[in-house]
Amino acid sequence: MRTILLLSFLFFMSGLLIACEKTEDAKTVEYYLSNEKELDKKLAECKDSDGKSKRTPDCDNAKAADYKRNVL
């Protein structure tokens, strides 16, 4: 029983640490549209070595700005 309680506590604490991870403020789509060098830099950062996109608010905004830049 102690082992189960200890493991539960450890999982709970690790969840808290993950939830408290520092995140940066996401820049807006408008910011990226007016700063194309930053947009290109962020788009490069958002792709990992496998070519898969990261799913963060900042990357989503950069991708939306890139779409607007290329389509509109």
Side-chain angles (χ1 to χ4, degrees), residues 13-59:
M13 292 305 290
S14 64
L16 285 178
L17 289 174
I18 291 170
C20 294
E21 182 180 331
K22 183 182 177 197
T23 57
E24 63 183 57
D25 292 332
K27 294 178 176 65
T28 64
V29 173
E30 291 76 22
Y31 170 83
Y32 283 122
L33 286 172
S34 62
N35 296 286
E36 290 195 13
K37 288 183 182 180
E38 287 291 321
L39 171 60
D40 293 333
K41 182 179 172 185
K42 181 51 76 175
L43 288 171
E45 288 176 16
C46 290
K47 294 224 178 206
D48 64 14
S49 60
D50 295 335
K52 296 178 184 175
S53 297
K54 292 182 183 176
R55 289 300 315 244
T56 63
D58 211 23
C59 288

Side-chain angles (χ1 to χ4, degrees), residues 6-18:
L6 180 61
L7 287 175
S8 297
F9 176 75
L10 290 175
F11 283 124
F12 175 74
M13 292 305 290
S14 64
L16 285 178
L17 289 174
I18 291 170

